[in-house]
Amino acid sequence: MIARRLLLAGAVAAATAVPASAVTVTDHTVARPEGPRHYILVEPDGAAPGKRPLVILLHGHGTSAALMVGLASFAGYKSQAWSALAARENVLLLAPDGAKASDGKNAWNDCRTDAPTNTTVDDVGLIAALIDTAVAEHGADPARVYVYGSSHGGGMAYRAGIELAPRLAAIGVQSGMMAAQNGCPAPMRPLPVFIAHGTADEIVPYTGGKLGSWMLKGRGTAIGTEAAAGVWRRLDGLSETPVTVRFPHLHPDDPTSATRIVWGSDPAGLQVELLRIDGGGHVEAARDGELPWLLRKLVGAMNHDVDTVEEAWAFFKTRRNAAAAR
């Protein structure tokens, strides 16, 4: 096992005006029918006062666990937002790598039956095994387990929400998709769901339809983001009328804007939140982030009025799954 201590001075201090913190990052494998699966564990430094909340991070198609925790960059962009949050909020992060798909890229087996470049392995079983391992070996609180996925990882987070709901307190999806050609059963168990999506996303279109780009072929189709929010809103038994808050616009040259739309009034109970980024592309929002020119051309504009990671954690942190703790 290789352990790395990651100092997060800039990110943590900027977010909270507190002294620099650090996390310890270790590499692990878990045995699965398809062979050993790699995951990265991020642990805040210092003794924990009790069991810690766990966020399982699922990367996008062709990227990696290392990207999700800030150890790697993609086309020149790196974010340590989740690791900085883990240090500040005393959260465990667990980021697995997907399996190799037919296009040679790390991928997941989400619910799309029309995506030939998905994998065919049991990734629901992988996530379940990782929860077991985190609880048994790493001090995770079984009542505070959250799955958050980006892009293809978001599609896998939706599948986890369908099939592992009894073990989860909430799921989060950034620029992800619910399948149009769906091989999964319909969601049956109510669950709090956080969704963030840009309306100008050309890889996973906000209104649904064909997925992919000139770099990504064979990615299937999805329903629209608002339709996906509606699936979970109806399952959760929430009113059709949301509470809508537009974030202050912080940068005059930012072509995007951010709006929080929340169905449900109980911040500790069932809610669905949509963080809509008008004009935003296939990328998280980050107040202090900046995309390199080439990546901006590939994925579109980044919003700077809100931090998607902070918004997701604010949604997660009040949720508990009491049944999972028994």
Side-chain angles (χ1 to χ4, degrees):
M1 181 177 72
I2 300 173
R4 292 156 284 187
R5 191 167 182 269
L6 186 61
L7 186 64
L8 299 158
V12 175
T16 63
V18 298
S21 299
V23 293
T24 298
V25 183
T26 49
D27 291 279
H28 303 262
T29 58
V30 60
R32 297 295 301 153
E34 67 272 15
R37 296 290 294 271
H38 171 256
Y39 68 92
I40 296 174
L41 178 71
V42 177
E43 298 175 279
D45 285 1
K51 292 185 179 296
R52 288 167 160 153
L54 169 69
V55 180
I56 296 176
L57 300 174
L58 305 177
H59 63 75
H61 194 86
T63 63
S64 66
L67 181 70
M68 295 298 289
V69 300
L71 294 176
S73 62
F74 179 72
Y77 178 71
K78 177 190 288 189
S79 172
Q80 294 183 334
W82 274 111
S83 290
L85 186 144
R88 187 185 79 234
E89 299 285 338
N90 195 32
V91 174
L92 290 172
L93 304 178
L94 195 157
D97 277 314
K100 292 294 182 185
S102 60
D103 60 358
K105 300 179 186 296
N106 286 346
W108 305 105
N109 184 7
D110 66 11
C111 294
R112 283 169 290 160
T113 59
D114 58 351
T117 50
N118 277 359
T119 65
T120 58
V121 300
D122 180 11
D123 283 322
V124 172
L126 169 68
I127 294 170
L130 293 176
I131 294 171
D132 290 340
T133 299
V135 170
E137 300 179 14
H138 304 307
D141 183 349
R144 294 184 289 168
V145 177
Y146 316 95
V147 176
Y148 177 94
S150 174
S151 190
H152 191 184
M156 192 63 221
Y158 277 133
R159 183 169 187 176
I162 294 170
E163 299 188 37
L164 295 176
R167 308 197 63 182
L168 304 179
I171 62 169
V173 176
Q174 179 249 310
S175 305
M177 68 294 289
M178 281 194 78
Q181 301 296 319
N182 200 326
C184 293
M188 296 295 292
R189 185 183 177 99
L191 191 69
V193 176
F194 170 85
I195 303 168
H197 213 118
T199 63
D201 188 336
E202 295 184 358
I203 296 173
V204 179
Y206 184 84
T207 55
K210 185 177 180 180
L211 308 178
S213 66
W214 64 273
M215 295 189 306
L216 293 171
K217 305 296 184 182
R219 304 304 301 131
T221 54
I223 66 173
T225 302
E226 294 179 15
V231 168
W232 294 96
R233 178 192 63 76
R234 289 187 293 273
L235 178 64
D236 290 353
L238 303 174
S239 167
E240 294 183 16
T241 305
V243 174
T244 300
V245 176
R246 183 161 178 166
F247 288 84
H249 197 53
L250 301 180
H251 302 280
D253 59 346
D254 183 350
T256 72
S257 61
T259 301
R260 178 197 294 129
I261 304 166
V262 180
W263 293 269
S265 60
D266 184 358
L270 292 172
Q271 286 183 317
V272 174
E273 176 177 336
L274 171 58
L275 179 62
R276 188 186 69 211
I277 307 299
D278 289 294
H282 190 70
V283 63
E284 66 185 7
R287 288 181 179 176
D288 298 321
E290 191 59 58
L291 296 179
W293 177 85
L294 177 59
L295 189 56
R296 193 162 59 248
K297 291 293 183 183
L298 294 174
V299 302
M302 170 186 275
N303 175 263
H304 302 298
D305 297 331
V306 64
D307 292 290
T308 301
V309 169
E310 294 290 336
E311 190 75 3
W313 175 245
F315 185 85
F316 287 166
K317 69 186 297 183
T318 58
R319 317 290 169 178
R320 303 289 187 276
N321 183 342
R326 291 199 289 266

